[in-house]
Amino acid sequence: MRLVLSLASENIRLGTGGPFAAAVLSEQEGQLIAVGVNRVVASHCSLAHAEMLAIGLAQQRLGHYDLGEAVPGGCVLYTSTEPCAMCLGAIPWTGIKRLIIGARDADARAAGFDEGDKPRDWISAYARRGIKVATDLLRAEAAAILTEYVRSGGEIYGPRPVCQPIPISIQP
């Protein structure tokens, strides 16, 4: 997790992306397979979240879409912040066997990020799929990175707020 948090901080310092980073490691040996940092703004691509990039690079490096099949014992994904709705939905298709999280969803939302609509019981749903989840690893440090990003003037990006229709009446 320290590597992931260091990458997130460096991404802010260099101005190359948002305050998020992730890493894919082999579960049994702890071998680093791939890392990703958030590149949404820099790449002009809303899909360029740290988790998505780390997973995609790991899959390309290993030559297989299922990391659980490609690596004996499976893979673990470390992420600086709880995955947003998009990343949360993608992880089960990757073959990741374990997810380790730094900052919570509430920390990202407090910084101004819209994490999307996620099921309340997503950890139980992951467990049913054989994915173990551990939260709050170095949470204070991870949340501080989100705060630093906001303090430094980092761009808050995400879905546009939903506009509420304004009732109007048409007089005959």
Side-chain angles (χ1 to χ4, degrees), residues 22-82:
V24 175
L25 289 87
S26 64
E27 180 75 58
Q28 288 181 344
E29 298 174 5
Q31 177 185 1
L32 181 64
I33 298 169
V35 298
V37 294
N38 183 280
R39 303 282 295 149
V40 169
V41 174
S43 69
H44 311 290
C45 179
S46 62
L47 303 176
H49 287 207
E51 298 93 337
M52 302 293 272
L53 296 179
I55 290 166
L57 289 170
Q59 291 168 328
Q60 290 176 352
R61 179 174 180 207
L62 297 171
H64 204 293
Y65 62 88
D66 188 329
L67 298 174
E69 287 185 20
V71 176
C75 291
V76 58
L77 175 65
Y78 284 80
T79 182
S80 61
T81 304
E82 183 177 313

Side-chain angles (χ1 to χ4, degrees), residues 7-26:
L7 291 169
S9 291
E10 188 71 359
N11 207 33
I12 296 168
R13 189 183 72 74
L14 295 174
T16 52
F20 307 103
V24 175
L25 289 87
S26 64

